[in-house]
Amino acid sequence: MTSDTDRLNQGNAVIEHTYYAIWNDWFASTGVSRASFHLTHQCADSGYRPERDELHLNLPETNVEEAADDAASNYRTAPAPSIGWPVWKRELVHEILHEYQHKVVAGQASPGGTALEGDHRGCFRGAGHGADYFTAVEEKASYFGVSPEILISNL
């Protein structure tokens, strides 16, 4: 029988592994450094903080324990139709897209990203969801085997 502490530790490990695996796939050839990754169970907003190069993922323990059921090797899986990804993966992918937005897209929005922003304006709260964010979405949706629209609906 697995204890709650074991499940929490397993979930933490899957989430951390998933961040590093996606980061290596997306950034390894860019020459940029990896953000400092912080996974906590506080009741606070998750976010990528470019001024400190930190990615904060704040998830309730229940959501982290859900990650214990996911194999760390399944980090590229597409969201299940009509169900979507679990909360932990939605949050993680959303924030790593912000890291990509700041480090790779770097303000250079594509025409497709600009169009996506127009189509999805207001679907995310807070600053940082301009055409350059949607350019990151456009560039990385195929990584998960989905269209940008499907990726957006799962973030």
Side-chain angles (χ1 to χ4, degrees):
M1 183 170 183
T2 305
S3 73
D4 289 344
T5 301
D6 289 341
R7 284 187 48 76
L8 188 61
N9 289 337
Q10 289 169 347
N12 285 336
V14 167
I15 293 168
E16 189 171 330
H17 171 82
T18 301
Y19 170 69
Y20 292 131
I22 293 172
W23 196 95
N24 286 334
D25 288 347
W26 290 9
F27 296 90
S29 65
T30 65
V32 300
S33 61
R34 183 180 303 135
S36 176
F37 182 70
H38 303 272
L39 174 59
T40 64
H41 310 127
Q42 300 171 358
C43 187
D45 286 338
S46 295
Y48 172 67
R49 291 159 177 82
E51 68 281 356
R52 295 190 303 263
D53 197 20
E54 295 175 348
L55 194 148
H56 291 262
L57 206 58
N58 299 307
L59 296 166
E61 289 182 4
T62 302
N63 295 129
V64 174
E65 288 172 354
E66 285 177 343
D69 298 328
D70 294 332
S73 62
N74 291 338
Y75 62 90
R76 287 186 74 161
T77 56
S82 76
I83 297 172
W85 282 323
V87 170
W88 72 266
K89 190 161 184 184
R90 289 175 184 257
E91 288 281 316
L92 177 62
V93 172
H94 184 100
E95 298 311 331
I96 198 169
L97 282 164
H98 278 299
E99 185 176 1
Y100 189 85
Q101 166 193 12
H102 285 276
K103 293 180 175 178
V104 179
V105 177
Q108 302 299 313
S110 69
T114 301
L116 284 169
E117 178 197 20
D119 293 343
H120 298 280
R121 186 165 309 180
C123 74
F124 302 117
R125 65 181 176 81
H129 300 103
D132 56 343
Y133 179 78
F134 286 96
T135 297
V137 169
E138 176 191 36
E139 290 181 13
K140 293 304 174 186
S142 63
Y143 178 81
F144 299 106
V146 298
S147 69
E149 290 78 11
I150 296 293
L151 181 55
I152 291 165
S153 72
N154 280 280
L155 297 177

